[in-house]
């Protein structure tokens, strides 16, 4: 047994030398990387990080969750260009390494393992879903690699470990805003129906907050309907809900299922306000519920109109490329990359990071991330010692669809 490990170490060590010599490309060492987590980091650890500073991005680029994950990818890419154009880490560029985390736990675990052991990133941004984070983040925690969640909003994410932080404000802070906005728009609301996807950690967490808010606002919770994020047919639950005569419906689901549910509620004749949770917070729902998306209210942890130079630059870059306003998930992904960049710059000023062995750099970067204050497109943010984001401004937007049913936008409410 011992011998095998020793051989794997030697093999990997030569691989690492080769990698360093080639400027650390993303090729090779597949065979040993999965079996030698510790060796991998130890060997490269002795020589410091050479070449561009690699930051791992583990969002969903495939599966139904890609509707959400691709907005994260877009924001991260804008950040990479923006910060490299500004000189990277005091002259050294960053390089984002993208690994598709897919839509489930296995995909996220795979992406994390590859980023940690093969790509040798200094830190990770991701995964897309809280459901995935609860499985994948413990792997980074054990390997002592920092993780910044950019779209994980369920209760309990920062508590996963010392190396886990997030820039995505929790449902407890974001979700209640939409209920208050709905009441402002229609003070006569009394009866509320709530829907949630019961196979997803974030949706379970979000619905708890929605249900608590409904009660706190003195409203009556007339029914709670459950579904799965994989469902496409909501006739039974939608009919049940409509029969209980709600004047507000609140949905915690993901983009595809949530969009379908909105469409079917409208087709069955529901006319009251619909609130969507964070899983519907993407213009990718427009193609699902089309003109029937109109009016859906969604709380936001980002506004394209947030004042300040960095948001103006981010917004301009996004609008130029995508011809629409930047969505929250892109702004949060940009922010997560920025946190690493700012923290690395601060570290580098104290000790040249090219001289710090990778293991040590990951640990020091984690401490620096938590210690810093960042002026980002989300506003000025910082972290609690547990890694929870401290953020000031939140918003609510309402979907406005054009009559053709294919184009729409998120209109921010005053
Ligand atoms: C979570 C979420 C999702 C809606 C992110 C896409 O907030 O899983 O926590």
């Amino acid at each position: 047994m011992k011998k095998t490990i020793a051989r794997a170490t030697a093999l990997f060590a030569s691989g690492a030398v080769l990698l360093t010599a080639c400027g650390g490309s993303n090729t090779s060492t597949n065979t040993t990387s999965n079996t030698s987590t510790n060796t991998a980091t130890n060997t490269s650890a002795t020589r410091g990080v050479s070449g561009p500073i690699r930051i791992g991005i583990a969002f969903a680029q495939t599966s139904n969750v890609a509707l959400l994950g691709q907005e994260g990818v877009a924001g991260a890419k804008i950040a990479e260009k923006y910060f490299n154009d500004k000189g990277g880490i005091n002259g050294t560029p960053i390089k984002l390494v993208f690994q598709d985390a897919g839509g489930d736990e296995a995909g996220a675990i795979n992406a994390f393992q590859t980023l940690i052991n093969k790509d040798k990133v200094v830190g990770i941004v991701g995964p897309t879903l809280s459901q995935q984070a609860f499985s994948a983040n413990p792997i980074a925690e054990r390997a002592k690699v920092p993780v910044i969640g950019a779209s994980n909003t369920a209760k309990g994410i920062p508590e996963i470990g010392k190396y886990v932080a997030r820039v995505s404000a929790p449902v407890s802070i974001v979700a209640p805003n939409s209920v208050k906005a709905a009441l402002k728009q229609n003070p006569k609301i009394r009866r509320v129906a709530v829907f949630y996807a019961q196979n997803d950690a974030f949706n379970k967490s979000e619905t708890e907050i929605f249900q608590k808010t409904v009660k706190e606002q003195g409203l009556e919770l007339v029914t709670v309907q459950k579904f799965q994020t994989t469902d496409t047919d909501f006739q039974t639950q939608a009919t049940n809900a409509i029969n209980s005569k709600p004047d507000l419906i609140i949905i915690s689901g993901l983009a595809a299922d949530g969009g379908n549910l909105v469409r079917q509620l409208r087709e069955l004749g529901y006319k009251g306000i619909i609130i969507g949770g964070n899983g519907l917070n993407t213009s990718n729902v427009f193609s699902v519920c089309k003109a029937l998306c109109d009016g859906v209210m969604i709380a936001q942890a980002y506004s394209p109109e947030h004042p300040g130079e960095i948001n103006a630059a981010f917004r301009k870059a996004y609008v130029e490329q995508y011809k629409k306003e930047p969505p929250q998930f892109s702004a949060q992904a940009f922010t997560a990359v920025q946190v690493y960049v700012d923290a690395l710059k601060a570290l580098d000023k104290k000790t040249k990071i090219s001289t710090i062995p990778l293991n040590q750099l990951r640990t020091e970067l984690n401490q620096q991330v938590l210690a810093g204050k960042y002026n980002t497109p989300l506003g000025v943010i910082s972290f609690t010692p547990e890694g929870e984001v401290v953020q000031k401004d939140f918003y609510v937007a309402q979907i406005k669809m054009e009559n053709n049913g294919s184009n729409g936008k998120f209109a921010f409410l005053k």
Side-chain angles (χ1 to χ4, degrees):
M1 182 65 185
K2 252 200 174 137
K3 250 195 182 149
T4 331
I5 293 173
R7 255 201 34 229
T9 313
L11 249 171
F12 194 87
S14 54
V17 173
L18 222 124
L19 268 179
T20 318
C22 307
S25 78
N26 298 326
T27 47
S28 82
T29 63
N30 257 337
T31 41
T32 48
S33 60
N34 285 338
T35 49
S36 55
T37 312
N38 295 324
T39 14
T41 41
N42 286 343
T43 40
S44 62
T46 53
R47 34 195 111 239
V49 177
S50 63
I53 314 284
R54 290 193 291 275
I55 298 168
I57 310 290
F59 286 132
Q61 298 182 47
T62 54
S63 86
N64 58 333
V65 182
L67 291 180
L68 302 156
Q70 61 192 203
E71 295 193 340
V73 169
K77 283 189 174 158
I78 289 174
E80 181 179 37
K81 178 167 189 321
Y82 176 80
F83 291 109
N84 279 339
D85 287 351
K86 280 186 143 352
I89 313 301
N90 307 326
T92 306
I94 58 161
K95 176 171 170 37
L96 300 187
V97 185
F98 290 85
Q99 293 295 350
D100 179 8
D104 60 8
E105 292 86 335
I109 288 170
N110 253 325
F112 270 49
Q113 281 173 334
T114 306
L115 289 169
I116 294 167
N117 301 322
K118 178 168 166 261
D119 300 326
K120 305 210 176 312
V121 298
V122 294
I124 296 173
V125 176
T128 304
L129 301 180
S130 294
Q131 176 74 26
Q132 297 175 295
F134 286 118
S135 293
N137 290 12
I139 289 166
E141 177 69 22
R142 280 196 291 276
K144 298 193 162 70
V145 176
V147 180
I148 301 180
S151 58
N152 308 141
T153 62
K155 181 180 173 186
I157 294 288
E159 292 78 5
I160 292 171
K162 288 194 172 68
Y163 284 79
V164 179
R166 64 173 157 194
V167 297
S168 41
V171 285
S172 56
I173 295 195
V174 183
N177 296 304
S178 55
V179 179
K180 289 170 195 159
L183 279 170
K184 198 168 155 196
Q185 209 166 74
N186 179 7
K188 294 212 177 97
I189 289 171
R190 290 290 172 273
R191 301 171 61 81
V192 185
V194 165
F195 285 74
Y196 75 97
Q198 59 180 335
N199 63 330
D200 177 85
F202 146 74
N203 284 306
K204 284 195 282 193
S205 185
E206 192 187 58
T207 197
E208 265 183 38
I209 299 299
F210 274 134
Q211 293 181 36
K212 184 165 160 255
T213 309
V214 164
K215 287 171 198 153
E216 281 169 1
Q217 295 293 322
L219 306 172
E220 189 186 345
L221 187 58
V222 292
T223 181
V224 176
Q225 298 288 326
K226 300 173 196 173
F227 60 94
Q228 308 274 330
T229 51
T230 45
D231 286 351
T232 51
D233 179 353
F234 302 94
Q235 296 299 304
T236 311
Q237 297 99 317
T239 307
N240 285 346
I242 290 170
N243 286 343
S244 55
K245 307 221 173 312
D247 32 36
L248 172 65
I249 290 181
I250 306 178
I251 301 172
S252 289
L254 300 180
D257 46 304
N260 268 316
L261 177 51
V262 168
R263 184 169 57 75
Q264 291 173 36
L265 282 165
R266 293 299 187 207
E267 284 169 355
L268 288 169
Y270 174 69
K271 297 237 160 19
I273 296 180
I274 298 178
I275 287 175
N278 202 37
L280 282 80
N281 198 358
T282 165
S283 56
N284 288 325
V285 298
F286 298 171
S287 63
V288 186
C289 40
K290 307 236 164 62
L292 299 177
C293 302
D294 194 68
V296 172
M297 296 173 83
I298 305 178
Q300 306 289 329
Y302 167 72
S303 162
E305 300 199 345
H306 190 87
E309 197 185 315
I310 187 124
N311 184 46
F314 164 66
R315 184 184 188 185
K316 182 163 176 280
Y318 188 94
V319 172
E320 265 168 22
Q321 196 170 343
Y322 297 98
K323 316 289 175 228
K324 61 178 180 186
E325 291 288 0
Q328 172 202 272
F329 291 124
S330 299
Q332 289 174 321
F334 180 101
T335 298
V337 173
Q338 182 188 349
V339 166
Y340 279 134
V341 168
D342 287 359
L344 284 161
K345 278 199 240 170
L347 265 186
D348 188 68
K349 284 205 177 114
K350 290 186 245 170
T351 321
K352 273 268 147 239
I353 55 179
S354 57
T355 66
I356 307 177
L358 181 59
N359 277 348
Q360 191 185 330
L361 177 57
R362 287 165 163 173
T363 295
E364 288 185 17
L365 175 57
N366 189 56
Q367 288 160 357
Q368 187 66 46
V369 161
L370 295 176
K373 202 169 177 187
Y374 308 89
N375 185 5
T376 77
L378 309 179
V380 175
I381 62 163
S382 59
F383 297 96
T384 67
E386 287 74 40
E388 184 64 279
V389 66
V390 179
Q391 180 183 346
K392 206 168 120 262
D393 297 314
F394 298 94
Y395 314 83
V396 179
Q398 190 160 28
I399 297 177
K400 288 269 171 269
M401 297 302 296
E402 288 172 19
N403 289 338
N404 64 19
S406 35
N407 299 332
K409 63 172 187 186
F410 284 84
F412 280 67
L413 302 176
K414 298 277 172 251

